[in-house]
Amino acid sequence: MPLLIVAIGVALLVFLITVVKLNTFLSLVITSFIVALMLQIPVAKIPLSIETGIGGQLGHLAIIFGFGSMLGKLVSDSGGGYRIAHTLIEKFGKRHIQIAVVLAAFIVGLALFFEVGLVVLLPIIFVIARELDLPLMYLGIPMAATLNVTHAFLPPHPAPTAISGILHAPLGQVLLIGIVVSIPTIIVAGPLFNMFLHKVYPKVYRRNIDISTLGKFKEFEIEDTPGFGISALTSMMPVILIALATIMSFILPATNPINEGIQFVGAPDAAMLISLVFAIYTMGLARNKKMQEISESMVTAIKQIAMMLLIIGGGGAFKQVLMDGGIAKYISDIFTNMNMSPLIAAWIVAALLRVSLGSATVASLTAAGLVAPLVASSGASPVLMVLAVGAGSVFADHVNDAGFWMIKEYFGLTLKETFLSWTTLTSVLSVTGLLSVLAVSMFM
């Protein structure tokens, strides 16, 4: 019955958005109230649950999104994004540009959350697509698939790192074997799925689209743009600071004063603030721009993402009522006495939680706690169990997750197009990840 309620809630949300044409944020909030009532959450606690969901989601993302969009806007308005795109095109050419996108997304994805990586990379991908006269989706799919894979499988991302601790798996082995699993998963869910989708659903591969969250496209003369080095450094500054903090957390003691300072500047909020201040100088003041012009760019950036932030908050409200309604416990009870391969069982539990709750991180951490006894009782490799849970945690991304709405808004898709492209992609990615884990298990 609880899973049926989840299905009814999703169907209601789709109906409100696509048939009634109601605002997406309002639809999410209305659906959250109705689903909360169906799950028998006490009426007095429903508003608090929704507030907690919205606040929890935006509390994590609002500063990162705000500063990230400002940074991206400054790089874009100065021509820095154009310079990066121009250089990548020169080095890789149109034929191999997907390889460049995958490599960039993999490097960025090792240090950043999926959502943050998307904010950092998308303005550059947008310019590359414009310059090569390619559909944004052609480059967006391998980029987003790669970011999602690193988010699911590879430490130092919070979910795989935390799962490794819960299942007592050596972090170094998780990283190394995770990279092995990631390679075929990225190839299948990125370039190969891209080719397949382009054949069966070509309408999402639109050229020269204007996306409100990215602003209007500006033309530049290459000699009027900042250098490639400073443009790349400015764009990648958040990645560099966060990656440095992650690496040092494994090398230096937690109480070391130097490490404490590095962890401070490498915390996502601080890293984005420092990077934004750096961008104000390199992409603004150093190029003889007035502070008023720089400030106008930053204000415009916030205006462009305002509605998207509300939609993401609404997705958090939906997720929270599902959690408070006991969906996770219901799923754990289903698998208590079921006999099957522990790797497949771990994947199924994580996948069900992901579909029901939305958050990949919540799904993976909850699933890890539920399947931990299987590691001891079955003798399964803790490393492979971590990766199986990670694969399941990204299955079928849909309306109760922030990433779904980001893809929809950033790529200018309709709800139906997002389901058919992005939800399908994450399903392919998840299943391919599981098959890759099962293949590796034959040699361990």
Side-chain angles (χ1 to χ4, degrees):
M1 183 62 179
L3 291 182
L4 178 60
I5 292 174
V6 174
I8 292 171
V10 172
L12 172 63
L13 182 59
V14 172
F15 173 78
L16 290 175
I17 294 172
T18 60
V19 179
V20 181
K21 307 295 184 184
L22 193 62
N23 173 270
T24 302
F25 172 64
L26 183 56
S27 299
L28 281 163
V29 175
I30 290 172
T31 301
S32 299
F33 270 103
I34 293 173
V35 170
L37 290 170
M38 294 173 70
L39 289 172
Q40 298 181 346
I41 297 176
V43 175
K45 293 184 178 180
I46 293 176
L48 178 61
S49 181
I50 290 174
E51 288 174 14
T52 301
I54 294 175
Q57 190 83 283
L58 293 183
H60 166 62
L61 293 175
I63 293 178
I64 292 173
F65 267 42
F67 289 166
S69 64
M70 290 180 191
L71 187 152
K73 184 68 172 170
L74 291 176
V75 173
S76 175
D77 285 355
S78 68
Y82 181 86
R83 169 70 79 166
I84 294 171
H86 187 270
T87 303
L88 288 176
I89 292 167
E90 275 191 336
K91 299 296 183 184
F92 285 87
K94 184 173 182 178
R95 184 175 180 181
H96 302 295
I97 196 63
Q98 283 195 87
I99 298 174
V101 169
V102 166
L103 290 174
F106 191 83
I107 293 169
V108 170
L110 283 173
L112 300 184
F113 278 105
F114 171 78
E115 296 89 348
V116 185
L118 205 60
V119 170
V120 170
L121 282 176
L122 200 59
I124 297 170
I125 300 300
F126 183 71
V127 176
I128 294 176
R130 283 278 192 171
E131 287 301 299
L132 292 178
D133 191 30
L134 291 170
L136 183 60
M137 283 289 283
Y138 179 78
L139 301 180
I141 281 182
M143 175 197 70
T146 304
L147 289 174
N148 224 6
V149 166
T150 59
H151 181 78
F153 295 137
L154 303 179
H157 273 285
T161 302
I163 301 169
S164 298
I166 294 171
L167 300 181
H168 306 291
L171 208 58
Q173 292 184 31
V174 173
L175 178 59
L176 292 175
I177 298 176
I179 291 174
V180 172
V181 169
S182 296
I183 293 171
T185 306
I186 289 171
I187 292 172
V188 172
L192 292 182
F193 179 79
N194 209 6
M195 189 186 309
F196 169 78
L197 185 66
H198 191 268
K199 287 183 178 180
V200 300
Y201 200 53
K203 66 180 295 184
V204 297
Y205 288 82
R206 295 186 284 269
R207 283 178 168 83
N208 298 324
I209 55 175
D210 288 315
I211 301 174
S212 60
T213 49
L214 291 177
K216 293 182 179 179
F217 179 71
K218 297 173 66 174
E219 300 284 351
F220 293 94
E221 295 294 332
I222 192 66
E223 59 270 15
D224 296 331
T225 62
F228 173 77
I230 194 64
S231 299
L233 177 62
T234 303
S235 297
M236 295 293 291
M237 184 63 73
V239 182
I240 294 168
L241 293 176
I242 294 171
L244 178 65
T246 302
I247 293 168
M248 288 301 160
S249 69
F250 292 109
I251 297 175
L252 298 176
T255 55
N256 184 292
I258 296 176
N259 189 36
E260 288 179 347
I262 293 173
Q263 295 308 313
F264 171 74
V265 299
D269 292 352
M272 292 304 298
L273 175 59
I274 293 168
S275 301
L276 177 59
V277 172
F278 185 71
I280 289 172
Y281 175 74
T282 60
M283 299 291 114
L285 299 176
R287 300 191 60 76
N288 299 317
K289 287 189 176 183
K290 301 294 184 183
M291 185 57 75
Q292 182 178 353
E293 183 183 354
I294 297 170
S295 297
E296 287 173 356
S297 288
M298 293 190 288
V299 170
T300 301
I302 294 300
K303 288 179 179 178
Q304 290 167 356
I305 66 166
M307 182 49 68
M308 186 178 69
L309 279 175
L310 285 176
I311 291 171
I312 290 169
F318 191 26
K319 176 191 72 177
Q320 190 66 39
V321 298
L322 294 175
M323 293 174 62
D324 292 347
I327 295 297
K329 183 180 184 304
Y330 177 78
I331 292 174
S332 68
D333 291 342
I334 294 176
F335 284 89
T336 301
N337 298 311
M338 192 172 288
N339 292 320
M340 64 171 64
S341 162
L343 295 176
I344 295 176
W347 181 87
I348 292 175
V349 171
L352 280 173
L353 286 167
R354 158 67 161 195
V355 171
S356 301
L357 303 178
S359 169
T361 303
V362 172
S364 57
L365 293 177
T366 306
L370 298 177
V371 304
L374 289 176
V375 177
S377 62
S378 67
S381 163
V383 172
L384 295 182
M385 288 291 280
V386 170
L387 298 175
V389 169
S393 72
V394 293
F395 180 75
D397 189 21
H398 65 104
V399 294
N400 57 2
D401 180 54
F404 177 89
W405 299 106
M406 288 182 66
I407 294 294
K408 177 185 178 298
E409 297 299 318
Y410 271 137
F411 288 91
L413 302 173
T414 66
L415 194 62
K416 177 184 176 182
E417 289 171 346
T418 314
F419 273 121
L420 292 176
S421 57
W422 179 244
T423 304
T424 306
L425 182 151
T426 51
S427 301
V428 169
L429 187 155
S430 178
V431 173
T432 305
L434 173 63
L435 294 176
S436 299
V437 170
L438 292 174
V440 171
S441 71
M442 298 170 64
F443 302 97
M444 290 183 66

